[in-house]
Every structure is written in C-alpha cells, then in structure tokens.
C-alpha cells in the first residue's frame, strides 16, 4: 500500500485547507486511515481517524474545526481543516492499517507528510 498526502500550504489564522490522502496498492487490506501531525520539537499526535465503517475519532484540540471523510471510489481520505490556528502548524501525514493500529499510532502503512503552516 502506498499513501500520498497533498494539500498543505501557508494559510492565515482562521483560514482553511483540504488535505487529501490517496491510497494505491493492496487497499483492501486497509481498515482505517488516520492523519497524524508533528510540529517541530513536539511529539507526533493523532489528529483524526476514520474506519471502513465510517467511525471517526478526533483529537480534542481539533474537534469542531477538522472533519475527516473518505471516498471509497477514489481511494481517498480527506481532512478538511477550518478555523486554523498558529498551533496547528505541523507536518501532517496519513497512515493506514487496522483501527487499533491507527489509534495507537502504530500503523502498518505510513505515508509521507505535507506541511501546513498557519501564520499571518
């Protein structure tokens, strides 16, 4: 399975972006996809995850601002990020595996990241 993340960029506080994670390869082995982020000097954290049954989980810091969704036809998982704050600045990566693997941040498949910078 290969995972590619797109959609990062520089945005002003309060702005929005839509991140995309495109999966290819043996995608039937994927049960869940999660977006993680890591800021300089900080630990990687789970931002949002979605299962094959469309269950979702969000970090408390992004609830109400971020929305994760999946398009099974396009093999793509989206992360809509709204009301961005400077503290959201980080490298965002998509990762996949079982629901447990994704939630415990031990994903079977890891993708590369995309930089999100929130600054005025």
């Amino acid at each position: 399975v290969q995972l590619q993340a797109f959609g990062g960029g520089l945005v002003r506080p309060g702005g929005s972006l839509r991140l995309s994670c495109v999966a290819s390869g043996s995608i039937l082995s994927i049960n869940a996809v999660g977006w993680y982020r890591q800021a300089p000097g900080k630990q990687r954290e789970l931002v949002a995850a979605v299962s094959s049954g469309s269950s979702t989980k969000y970090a408390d810091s992004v609830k109400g601002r971020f929305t994760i969704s999946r398009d099974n036809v396009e093999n793509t998982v989206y992360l809509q990020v709204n009301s961005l704050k400077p503290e959201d600045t980080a490298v965002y990566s998509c990762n996949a595996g079982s629901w447990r693997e994704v939630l415990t941040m031990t994903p079977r498949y890891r993708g590369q990241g995309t930089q999100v910078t929130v600054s005025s």
Side-chain angles (χ1 to χ4, degrees), residues 8 22 27 39-40 50-51 61 71 74 81 84 88 97-98 105-107 120:
V22 181
I27 58 175
V50 62
S51 74
S61 60
D71 182 332
E74 298 294 331
V81 297
L84 282 163
D88 294 317
S98 70
M105 297 184 64
T106 55
S120 56

Side-chain angles (χ1 to χ4, degrees), residues 33-78:
V33 176
W35 284 94
Y36 305 157
R37 69 183 180 187
Q38 187 164 22
K42 294 188 176 180
Q43 285 192 329
R44 189 178 58 164
E45 63 173 337
L46 171 67
V47 176
V50 62
S51 74
S52 59
S54 296
S55 296
T56 58
K57 183 173 177 63
Y58 294 94
D60 288 343
S61 60
V62 306
K63 283 181 181 176
R65 299 190 297 123
F66 291 12
T67 302
I68 191 169
S69 61
R70 62 192 295 164
D71 182 332
N72 292 327
V73 174
E74 298 294 331
N75 298 327
T76 302
V77 172
Y78 300 102

